[in-house]
Structure formats: structure tokens, C-alpha cells
Amino acid sequence: MGENVDGRSGAGEPPAEITGFVGRKKEVRQIRRLLQASRLVTVTGVAGVGKSRVAAEAASGVRRAFADGVHVVELAGVGDPGHLERAVARALDPTGTLAGPGDPGLAGLLGDRQALLVLDSCEHLVDACAALAQTLLENSPELRILATSRQPLGVPGEHIVALPPMALPGPRAGTSLAALARHDAVALFLQRVAAANPGYAPTDADAARIAEICVRLEGIPLAIELAAARAREIPLGLILRFLDDRLWLLAGRTAGGRHPTVGATVEWSHELCTADERLLWARLPVFVSAFDAAAAEAVCADGELPAERVLPALLGLVDKSIVVPVRQEEDTVYRLPGIIREYGVAAGGVDRERLRRRHLEYYAGLAQRGRRAGRYGDQLRMWIRVRRDWPNLRAALDLCAEDAALREIGLMTAAALWYLWVACGMLREGRHHLERLLALPGPWDDARAWGTLTLVYIAEARGDLEPARSLLEECDRHSPPGDPLIPLVHLKMSGTVAFLEGDTRGAERMLGEAAERLVPDGEVPEVFLPALIELGTSLAWGGETARAGEVFLECRRICAELGEEWASAYADYGLGLVALAEGDAGRAAAYARDSLRVKRRLADAVGIVFCLELLGCAAACDGDLPRAGRLLAAARAGRSDKGLPEGGYPVMTADSARWAEVVDRGLPPREAERAAREGAGMGLAQAVAYALGEEPGGDAGDAGEVGDAGDTVGVRGGAVRDAGDWAPLTRREREVAELVADGLTNRQIAHRLMVVQRTVDSHVEHILAKLGFSARAQVAAWATRRRRDA
């Protein structure tokens, strides 16, 4: 999925910090304007000046303009330039399904997608980022990149926004707290003070000292936050005295692009931490991304820092603004700002390799807990949590791939994560890590067998049936007579190949035998429920709808007992197939919508495409042919975008093709073409919202960005002239008309203007109505004449 299918931006999107965004309105507006005119915008500035936050705020404001999503790549935890492309690929394609078997690389992932890629913290990878940005921009005409770095990337066409320190009060700013708070630096200090100590309310008597602190810290946001956090326990006058001493002593001792004030403030903050807090600070960089308190306790505790002291130390670092708390789903996780991470790594005194092994053990255990989710808690929440922790899981698997001695734990962890690869759609990542681990030297033991069978599962989900067959043959030749479950899983996977090839009789035989022999005895094998689902689907497509319905209902009953939601959603999909075969379109659509809601939460792209197809077929059966045309076209586009080859699912696509013919025969050609065009242009997130009746309202950004002089900014960043001879069109309609004259499609116009396509569709309809035209060509000719005469 190029965008998250629940309508949010890409998996790399930073979640909201506990405290809000302060100031920087002018800079945010400038970045948004430049993104209209330039394909590469780089926000530069010293460490701690707030580049990442400003870029995130700007990207958030234009998110709806990019049909294929805003994708944030946090590069602070990527130390090797060789890992850059894979980090970007993960952000662009969290499901791992965009590319087909040939894996054409990042350019293939992007193609002509209208996406915004945010490369955050490029300074330590600047050459690699520059080369990659130039390649992507040359090969992906609709891509735009927003980067943050302590120095420009140096790519042709790059527009630079040099981020200055926050606005400081001058000598005429006044002396009251209210007057000084109109300046961003003071406003940030006050916000952070309130967050650290809600019971403390500064007064006008404190105003002069607060302003002086901000001036001494030169308006650098990170330094202001660190100092504000100390106001909880240190009087303002004493903070000023400390800053005088530390800034004078340390101003010349920083390097690596850090502002001297930031380096001095970070070092001062480090010295004021407790011993436990300093020790935890040095250990937390082992996490390459956000982490929760349980992970910090499990990985960082030892005899020197007992587990019961980790949480108090972590909360102490939060209070001091060293660690940033972040809202994510219903939980709070924590992250380290880049310069804080750098300082922690440089602090030394830590056995990094031992920490990495502890980190591996914890995340291997997390993978296994997710495997057993359902009976032991909320399955969807657990799987979403594991997906959230993917960067740390990836680091754990990378460690295993670097050391053959860790091959077994790596393979068993990757096999345990089958739900992440298949149910949560991360097929590309699963294939990559399993192939790396299987390439390590080692015997054909149970770990290798499970790793191979999991790779078969991924190949089947991708529609790569020849590789799946080859892997099954290899596993059959070499697997040891150890785990008695392995031959049964092999049988089930063989049945799945037959199922996907359209061999319904062979599938029924193998899947039926596998399901019978896998009857749960205590713990339910993971493949038991998928075997039931595929058996029921094969029966349904073979015309045995009564038997299929019984299988799906039995599957739902078992799922209810186990708290299993993913398989239950597929059983709902199967019951929808049965209802459609029985001619009950309403019941089929209801089952499909229930399934789609679960698939959306998990980002299960395969399941989403299936549900959209079923809903399209149900709409056609119900006589709503325009809706059917849109849904079927959206499913076809989703199948293509996600690299799901139709040849790998011959039976699955037969009904879709049959109902598409009904649409084509039942609608006038122009209406059928329009429905197909609208469906194909939705993007998966919008298609899901449409299918569920959850389409958002009007576009809040339709009025355009407002510049400093109050003018509405046009497509090229300049102010739009008075409408004049362009009446009766509004300014925005004139912009749209000019872009129609330039030959752009509605989708391309939406991308250029940073609005959603639905808004452009509406504008074009209004233009046609106002001018009394019936075709875009007439609008183009009219707009061309107006431009020529201007």
C-alpha cells in the first residue's frame, strides 16, 4: 500500500507528541508554497532548531493533496548508507506488495504515483540521500520530496528553507508575560514549563527572566525545552546562572554541525541527571525507533540498573525533555531526538553488543506473543502493536543475519512473524528477511523447515506459485522427521497452491485432509483456520455453496472461541461469496463490509482487494451499476498497484470479470468509462472509505494557502491576479481551467494544487456549467484564448 489503507499516511509517519506544535507559522507556509512549485524542498538548520517538527507540520497540512500518501522516513536510526534504499522502500510500501516478483526497486515502487516523501535527518547520509533523491525525481515524475538536514543535499532544482532560531523578544517587546508570550521562543518555554509542572504558573514578575533565558539560548527550541524542563525544580534565576557558566565554558567544545548552545545545554542536562537517568540515556539508543516502557525495562535493566528503577529513570528523562513521549493508538511510546541519541551513543561505558542481544531476545519474544494473540488478548491490537514495533524487529532480524550463530533464533522469529508478513501485508519484508536467513550456513533442522514453509506462505500470498512449488519440493526432500506438524503444514500449503491455480478438486482433497488432521488439540495450529477458509472458498467456487457455508460458519465459531479476528474476517468474506452465489446481494455486501473493516485495520492489502471485488459484484447483482463499476475498477487498480498478479488467482477473478461485463453491457459507454475512471483514480484508502460509506466531506484546503500579503497562492507559488476577463470563474476555477488547458488530468491537477481529486472533479463540473460547455476541450480552448489575450 502506497498509503495506509485506513486513510492515514505512510507507516513511517511520526505519531503525535504529547505536547503541541508552537509557532513557525511563516516557515510552515513557506514550505507548503515551495512544495507547489518545487519537487525537492530541503529544510536546513543547526541541530535542535526544530527541522523535523516544522517539516512534519508542513507535510501534515498538504497530506490530502497526495493521492498516494505522505511517507516519512526517519533516518536517525539508519547508520549505514547501504540501508537507505530499504528504509525508503519500507516507508513507501509498508505492505511490501507494490513490486512484483522481479522487484524493480524504488523507481518501480513509485512509478507515476502522486506521493510526498519526507526524508528526515539526512545529515549523516547526505551523499546517499542526494543520489537517491536525484534518481527518484528523475524516474518518478509525480513525486515530491521534503528533506531535513543540517546541510543542503546539493541536488539540482533543490529549494532550501533555512530554518532560523525561534523569534525572540526585542528591547521594545514589553515587560508583561502576555506581551512576551507573543514571541515563539517564550511561548515554547511557557508551554514546556506547563507540561513539566502543571501547578506552576509564571507571573509578570518572572517575565524578564524567562525572556532572558530564551535570549541566552538564542531561540534554539531543543535548548529552550531542556531549560524549561528544569524550571520544575530550579528557580529561574539559578537557571540563568547555570546557563551563564555552562555556555561560556562549553561554547567551543561541540562538533558535527551542532550549535554550541545546543551542545552546551545537552551536556548541562546530562550532568544534572541522576546516575540512573544517565545510565538509561546511554542504553536507550539501542532502540532504532520508538519503544514503550516494557521494552525499555526488559532490554536496559541489569544488576547496575534493576528493572524496578528503569521506569522512574525513564519518566525522569521525560520530565527533563530528554525523551519525548508520543501518542500511538491507545498507548504512549517514547523516542529520542537525534542529537540526544548522538549524545547517548557518545557517552560510552555501555556494552553495545550485549545490549543488542538483549534487544534481540525481547523482540523475538514479542514476535512469539503476537503469534499466540487472540486467546490471550486483543489480536488486532497486538498485531498492530507488533507492526508499530517493526523497525526494532527489523534491527533484531538484521543482527541474526549478520551472525550465523543466531540463524536458528532468527528463522524461528521470522517464522513466528507470519502474521506480520501475510495478515498485515508486509510480504516484501518477510521475503527479504527469510531469504537472508535461509542463505546462512546450517543444517536442515526444524528452524530451516519452518522458515521455508513461511516463505512458501508469502509466495502464495504474492501469487508466485512456481517459487512456492519449488520451495515445497525442497522442503519435502530435506525436512527432518522432527516436528510432526511440519508435514501437515506442507500438505496445507500444497492445497493452497492447488486452490490458487483453480484446481478446486485437488484443493478440496488436500485442504480437507489437512483440516481434518489439524483438528486442534489444545493449541490451535496457525494454518488450521486458513485451511478451513480456503476449503470453504474452494467449495463455494466449485458450486457446493451449502457445504461451503457450513465450513465458514464452523470457522467463525472456532474464531469466536479463540478471539481470532483476522481469520474470522476471511470467514465473513467467504459467507459473502456464498450469499452472492445464492443471489442475496444485500447479505453479501454486509458480510464483505464487516470483513473490510478488519482488513483495513490490519492493512491487509490482499484481503482489501478481495472485499472490494465482492462489494462490486454485489452492487452489480443489486442493479447499482455505476457503484459496481467504481468498486470493480478500484479493486483492479489495487490489485495492480499491490503487485497481485491476476494470473495467480484465476478462479478469484472469474466472478469479478463476469460482473464487470454486466456493468459494461448495462451502462452507456460514457457512463461505464466514467465509473471505471473514477474507481481507478480513488486510491486504496479512498476506495475503502467509499465502499464503507465513510467518504470525507469537502476539502478544507480548497481555498489555497494564504501568503504573507493575504493573496491566494497559485500553482506556481505566485499570487493569482484579479479574475478580470476570466469571469464568471472564481480564482480557483481559473487555476483549474488553466491546468486543463495545459493538458493535465483531474488527478494531476489535484496533485499540483494540493487538493483531493474529488474537489477538482467538482470544479471542472462547475466550470462546464458556468461556461455552458460539455467537454474539457472547450474549456482548454477558452482558457488558452484568455491567457493569450491577457
Side-chain angles (χ1 to χ4, degrees), residues 593-614:
R593 284 192 293 269
D594 286 344
S595 180
L596 184 57
R597 291 185 184 97
V598 175
K599 299 307 177 188
R600 177 172 62 174
R601 284 192 65 193
L602 289 172
D604 182 351
V606 176
I608 287 166
V609 168
F610 290 169
C611 289
L612 290 176
E613 283 180 330
L614 179 54

Side-chain angles (χ1 to χ4, degrees), residues 471-540:
L471 289 165
L472 284 169
E473 290 170 4
E474 185 180 10
C475 192
D476 192 37
R477 287 195 305 270
H478 299 294
S479 287
D483 190 335
L485 192 57
I486 289 174
L488 297 181
V489 174
H490 187 285
L491 177 63
K492 185 270 172 193
M493 296 297 181
S494 300
T496 301
V497 170
F499 164 73
L500 294 173
E501 288 179 328
D503 178 7
T504 56
R505 295 302 179 193
E508 289 169 27
R509 177 178 54 80
M510 286 183 277
L511 292 169
E513 181 183 350
E516 184 178 350
R517 293 172 62 188
L518 284 166
V519 170
D521 179 16
E523 198 72 22
V524 177
E526 285 110 355
V527 294
F528 173 69
L529 293 171
L532 285 182
I533 292 161
E534 292 164 12
L535 173 61
T537 306
S538 186
L539 289 167

Side-chain angles (χ1 to χ4, degrees), residues 179-540:
L180 293 171
R182 287 196 288 266
H183 301 273
D184 289 349
V186 175
L188 177 65
F189 186 94
L190 293 173
Q191 185 208 62
R192 293 306 198 233
V193 166
N197 187 6
Y200 170 55
T203 66
D204 286 347
D206 301 314
R209 285 175 174 167
I210 290 174
E212 182 64 19
I213 289 171
C214 293
V215 169
R216 300 283 179 90
L217 295 175
E218 302 180 58
I220 304 295
L222 178 60
I224 290 171
E225 292 176 17
L226 293 173
R230 290 296 174 183
R232 176 175 183 167
E233 56 201 28
I234 301 176
L236 296 174
L238 196 53
I239 289 177
L240 271 171
R241 192 181 312 162
F242 279 146
L243 290 178
D244 279 343
D245 294 342
R246 302 308 296 172
L247 295 178
W248 181 78
L249 287 172
L250 300 172
R253 288 170 48 186
T254 58
R258 300 177 194 168
H259 192 286
T261 297
V262 176
T265 310
V266 171
E267 187 162 342
W268 173 59
S269 295
H270 186 265
E271 291 179 3
L272 292 178
C273 286
T274 67
D276 282 356
E277 290 166 354
R278 287 196 296 271
L279 188 55
L280 184 60
W281 185 346
R283 294 177 178 182
L284 288 177
V286 71
F287 297 102
V288 299
S289 186
F291 56 91
D292 59 19
E297 186 174 291
V299 175
C300 298
D302 62 7
E304 191 177 1
L305 182 61
E308 65 271 14
R309 289 179 6 212
V310 170
L311 182 58
L314 178 63
L315 296 179
L317 292 174
V318 170
D319 287 343
K320 297 171 178 64
S321 291
I322 303 299
V323 171
V324 179
V326 176
R327 290 192 186 95
Q328 210 163 47
E329 299 294 337
E330 300 175 7
D331 303 319
T332 295
V333 295
Y334 304 89
R335 69 174 183 85
L336 295 177
I339 193 169
I340 299 296
R341 174 184 294 277
E342 293 172 17
Y343 195 92
V345 171
V350 172
D351 185 344
R352 297 283 167 201
E353 285 307 308
R354 177 175 170 276
L355 267 180
R356 289 185 75 194
R357 296 297 180 95
R358 293 283 299 274
H359 182 273
L360 166 61
E361 291 168 6
Y362 176 78
Y363 284 100
L366 178 66
Q368 294 290 348
R369 290 197 299 278
R371 184 181 198 171
R372 298 189 296 270
R375 177 174 294 183
Y376 304 98
D378 185 335
Q379 183 189 62
L380 293 191
R381 184 177 180 186
M382 183 65 184
W383 286 5
I384 291 168
R385 182 258 169 105
V386 173
R387 191 175 65 194
R388 179 196 76 195
D389 285 331
W390 168 239
N392 284 302
L393 281 159
R394 182 195 70 236
L397 291 172
D398 284 344
L399 177 61
C400 296
E402 295 166 7
D403 186 350
L406 299 175
R407 177 192 67 91
E408 183 174 356
I409 187 174
L411 280 170
M412 294 306 290
T413 299
L417 287 169
W418 71 268
Y419 56 91
L420 204 61
W421 318 139
V422 178
C424 299
M426 294 179 61
L427 300 173
R428 178 192 298 274
E429 289 292 348
R431 185 183 69 172
H432 168 72
H433 286 283
L434 281 161
E435 286 179 347
R436 288 178 73 197
L437 292 163
L438 287 168
L440 294 174
W444 256 97
D445 51 12
D446 286 350
R448 184 173 293 275
W450 281 117
T452 302
L453 288 171
T454 307
L455 191 56
V456 170
Y457 204 176
I458 291 170
E460 291 171 343
R462 290 171 62 92
D464 301 341
L465 302 188
E466 283 299 327
R469 264 193 299 269
S470 297
L471 289 165
L472 284 169
E473 290 170 4
E474 185 180 10
C475 192
D476 192 37
R477 287 195 305 270
H478 299 294
S479 287
D483 190 335
L485 192 57
I486 289 174
L488 297 181
V489 174
H490 187 285
L491 177 63
K492 185 270 172 193
M493 296 297 181
S494 300
T496 301
V497 170
F499 164 73
L500 294 173
E501 288 179 328
D503 178 7
T504 56
R505 295 302 179 193
E508 289 169 27
R509 177 178 54 80
M510 286 183 277
L511 292 169
E513 181 183 350
E516 184 178 350
R517 293 172 62 188
L518 284 166
V519 170
D521 179 16
E523 198 72 22
V524 177
E526 285 110 355
V527 294
F528 173 69
L529 293 171
L532 285 182
I533 292 161
E534 292 164 12
L535 173 61
T537 306
S538 186
L539 289 167

Side-chain angles (χ1 to χ4, degrees), residues 36 144 715-716 739 744 748-754:
Q36 290 185 321
R144 299 185 196 191
V715 292
R716 293 171 182 83
L739 292 174
L744 275 66
Q748 291 168 331
I749 294 171
H751 183 51
R752 182 76 65 86
L753 296 181
M754 295 191 177

